[in-house]
Amino acid sequence: MSHIKPIRQVTVIGTGVIGASWAALFLAKGLDVIAIDVSLNAESSLRKFVLTAWPALERLGLTPGASPLRLFFTSDLAEAVKDVDFVQESGPEQLDFKQELYGQLDALLPPDVIIASSSSGLPMSQIQLGATIHPERCVIGHPFNPPHLMPLVEIVGGPLTSEATIRRAQDFYRSLGKQTVRINKEMPGHVASRLQAALAREAYYLVAEGALSAADVDTALTAGPGLRWSVMGNMMLDHLSGGPGGIEHFLQHFGAPLTASWKSLGSPELTPEVQRKLSESVRAEVGTRTIEELEAERDDRLLEILELRANAI
């Protein structure tokens, strides 16, 4: 790659839920953001989202010079990527769309500008086939929702992605305060969503079987393992469960009952009847609260946890 410039200007392609959240984060970190989205009312929706998210970002701490006024919007791709230092693509999860887009970006951008995709499911090995000139600068930078609050970014390269691109992407996301995980092998859904899916499968099974309500499933998680997972992950907690002998003792003494329990885990089919049971149980937990109220509650609690984690460092 050619001379590497500092990243000061970022283009956000696609300003839906994920793209808008990325834009708010980049702005909070003192970057210039050029956003592009051809959807109706995209610009007004984006600016509204940024202003709504700004108090939370102020609470977490803004970089000097950060301002929503550093957001620019266009519907022209060439204009959106002119003089840009990094591209965060959050467009539709359609492979043909992304391949065509990456071909256009590849032709417009200097070879040292990274094109990172927020894709939650499409593999970079397929996406980067559209970038026939410099596929080595294409990488997955998959956030956890909402990106302006959640620290996690999963980084996955395709077979044509260079090591330099992966390292630069890691450095950039970490400079934003993100915690990155590098996935060395392409996996459907990457990693965090797979872990989440495994838990969701059992949660749905328990509710569908009438073992307990959706509210009690959520309480069992948030008051039990979820509380521990907010400070340590599964692997480290298993190490602690082994006592002085650590993970080796845990595997030797708890491995057999653990694998036996796996055999009893459910594999529910989301038939209309199961969906009805799940919906009724979740609606009972929701009560009269709106989506907006629940989102605000989620984000406020996330902020409290993030502040506690920051103070503990």
Side-chain angles (χ1 to χ4, degrees), residues 48 66 78 84 100 128 146 178 196 198 210 264:
K48 180 181 178 181
V84 72
E100 181 179 356
Q128 68 185 167
K178 295 297 185 183
Q196 186 173 257
S264 68

Side-chain angles (χ1 to χ4, degrees), residues 229-278:
W229 288 336
S230 67
V231 294
M232 283 186 180
N234 184 79
M235 307 306 286
M236 188 64 75
L237 289 169
D238 283 353
H239 179 59
L240 294 181
S241 295
I247 188 64
E248 292 81 7
H249 184 269
F250 175 85
L251 293 173
Q252 290 168 8
H253 290 268
F254 299 105
L258 182 63
T259 53
S261 71
W262 292 344
K263 297 176 183 178
S264 68
L265 296 178
S267 296
E269 293 186 19
L270 292 181
T271 62
E273 176 62 16
V274 168
Q275 291 184 45
R276 183 188 63 77
K277 287 183 179 180
L278 292 172

Side-chain angles (χ1 to χ4, degrees), residues 129-180:
L129 293 178
T132 57
I133 307 170
H134 290 289
E136 73 280 355
R137 43 90 163 271
C138 302
V139 67
I140 295 287
H142 174 244
F144 230 46
N145 189 38
H148 70 285
L149 297 183
M150 297 295 284
L152 178 66
V153 178
E154 298 175 310
I155 297 177
V156 197
L160 302 177
T161 305
S162 71
E163 182 65 24
T165 292
I166 290 174
R167 288 198 303 268
R168 288 179 56 218
Q170 285 179 323
D171 290 345
F172 173 59
Y173 290 126
R174 288 172 181 172
S175 75
L176 304 175
K178 295 297 185 183
Q179 292 177 261
T180 64

